[in-house]
């Protein structure tokens, strides 16, 4: 078996789809890694020998890539929770009195109802004055 075949075999064994299926079944990550190592021990030994011969930083690059993926997942989780918080804010039932108070605009009230309001107040004052005079 040549190096490309070994890499392809390992890649298929460690596919994200397979990992997700194992996680959904309830396997813990440590057990998944142990099973992978046990199932692919010979191929992993060959890969380690190949890496030692080439003496490059492939493992450190792979670790950096994994860290980048973790950071990306964290950012996606943050973005995932933001709409939920906004929905929760929009979902809060508003007290009808508070809603009326927030929607009340004095300038619009004055434009629409000022004349009627003034006439109503004048009528009320007249009624009170007439009532006082009648009782006096």
């Amino acid at each position: 078996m040549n190096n490309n075949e070994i890499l392809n075999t390992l890649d298929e064994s460690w596919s994200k789809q397979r990992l997700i299926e194992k996680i959904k079944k309830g396997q813990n990550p440590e057990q998944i890694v142990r099973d992978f190592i046990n199932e692919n021990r010979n191929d992993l030994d060959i890969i380690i020998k190949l890496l030692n011969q080439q003496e490059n930083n492939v493992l450190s690059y792979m670790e950096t890539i994994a860290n980048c993926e973790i950071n990306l997942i964290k950012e996606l989780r943050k973005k995932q929770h933001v709409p939920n918080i906004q929905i929760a804010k929009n979902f809060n039932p508003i007290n009808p009195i508070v809603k009326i108070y927030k929607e009340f605009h004095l300038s619009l009230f004055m434009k629409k109802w000022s004349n009627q309001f003034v006439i109503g107040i004048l009528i009320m004052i007249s009624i009170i004055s007439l009532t006082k005079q009648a009782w006096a």
Side-chain angles (χ1 to χ4, degrees), residues 21-64:
E21 289 171 7
K22 290 180 180 183
I23 291 169
K24 283 181 180 179
K25 289 179 183 176
Q27 292 183 3
N28 79 26
E30 291 81 18
Q31 184 63 39
I32 293 171
V33 171
R34 275 183 269 159
D35 290 346
F36 177 77
I37 291 171
N38 290 335
E39 292 169 4
N40 299 294
R41 186 170 304 279
N42 294 334
D43 292 339
L44 289 172
D45 290 338
I46 293 170
I47 294 296
I48 290 171
K49 287 178 187 175
L50 179 65
L51 289 174
N52 288 337
Q53 289 173 358
Q54 292 182 356
E55 293 184 23
N56 47 9
N57 296 326
V58 173
L59 290 178
S60 65
Y61 296 148
M62 291 174 67
E63 186 177 13
T64 304

Side-chain angles (χ1 to χ4, degrees), residues 1-16:
M1 191 181 285
N2 68 23
N3 295 337
N4 287 334
E5 290 174 359
I6 292 171
L7 289 172
N8 287 335
T9 304
L10 291 173
D11 190 42
E12 289 173 14
S13 297
W14 191 256
S15 73
K16 290 186 180 184

Side-chain angles (χ1 to χ4, degrees), residues 69-102:
E69 288 178 344
I70 289 171
N71 290 336
L72 177 61
I73 290 169
K74 287 178 183 177
E75 289 298 318
L76 291 174
R77 282 188 188 255
K78 287 179 188 176
K79 303 268 186 218
Q80 178 185 13
H81 293 299
V82 168
N84 293 341
I85 292 169
Q86 289 174 348
I87 289 170
K89 286 180 182 175
N90 293 338
F91 181 72
N92 289 341
I94 297 176
N95 186 346
I97 296 172
V98 174
K99 184 178 178 182
I100 291 169
Y101 178 74
K102 285 183 179 180

Side-chain angles (χ1 to χ4, degrees), residues 109-124:
F109 176 78
M110 294 303 289
K111 284 181 184 176
K112 288 184 177 180
W113 302 102
S114 63
N115 290 338
Q116 292 177 359
F117 184 73
V118 170
I119 291 171
I121 297 252
L122 289 175
I123 290 173
M124 193 117 91

